Amino acid sequence: MRRADREVRSPQQIKDILDACEVVRIAYQDAEGLTIVPMNFGYDFSLARFAHPEDDLPANVSADGTPLPPDFGELRIFLHSAHEGRKIDAISAAGNALPVAFELDCDHQVHEGRTPCNWSASFRSIVGTGMASVITNLDEKITAMQALMSKQAGMDHVPFTAQQMASVTVWQITSTNFTGKIHTVPRPHGGK
């Protein structure tokens, strides 16, 4: 990330962004070319592996000295769709392992500047890459749909039947390669 001062290094801040965002945008390439689609989502991102998730993770560098993003572990993004369509066709054509890119953003606010070049915007975001795959195990499908209902509707532990699960395709993006960014706009001199 070019602006290290905006990089999220705290696992808790990653979870806070996931909680605040309402839509994930998923980009992939298929037989028709490149595309991007916005979707509602649920997720699984555990803070349990971090002793102090509110603290920043240490900075790491590669062997050649290049800064590396923090290791937040695994993020699973859950989605659902019809049994047919471009997304499902692409996942199937890729052998149930479709490479994707994804982006979430929230808390947008435009900040007026004294000149057009001084305008700015504040936001929080997560960007990453991962692998999209259809979930076939019934228990895993139910868990994914419960996460989606919890995130989107605030309804925890919704009971789903096998018949309900048969009427929808549930899929996921699994990622260990993602970064977070927070851009706040500083107050002008003398501002409160």
Side-chain angles (χ1 to χ4, degrees), residues 31 40 75 88 127 129 133 145 149:
N40 292 321
L75 167 62
I88 301 307
V127 174
T129 58
S133 61
M145 285 300 293
M149 290 301 295

Side-chain angles (χ1 to χ4, degrees), residues 1-9 180-184:
M1 182 174 298
R2 187 181 65 81
R3 292 289 306 262
D5 59 317
R6 296 179 182 167
E7 182 177 29
V8 172
R9 301 201 66 83
K181 184 175 183 178
I182 297 176
H183 181 208
T184 57

Side-chain angles (χ1 to χ4, degrees), residues 164-184:
Q164 289 170 319
M165 290 296 92
S167 70
V168 66
T169 296
V170 180
W171 50 291
Q172 67 182 345
I173 296 169
T174 304
S175 175
T176 57
N177 183 23
F178 57 96
T179 58
K181 184 175 183 178
I182 297 176
H183 181 208
T184 57

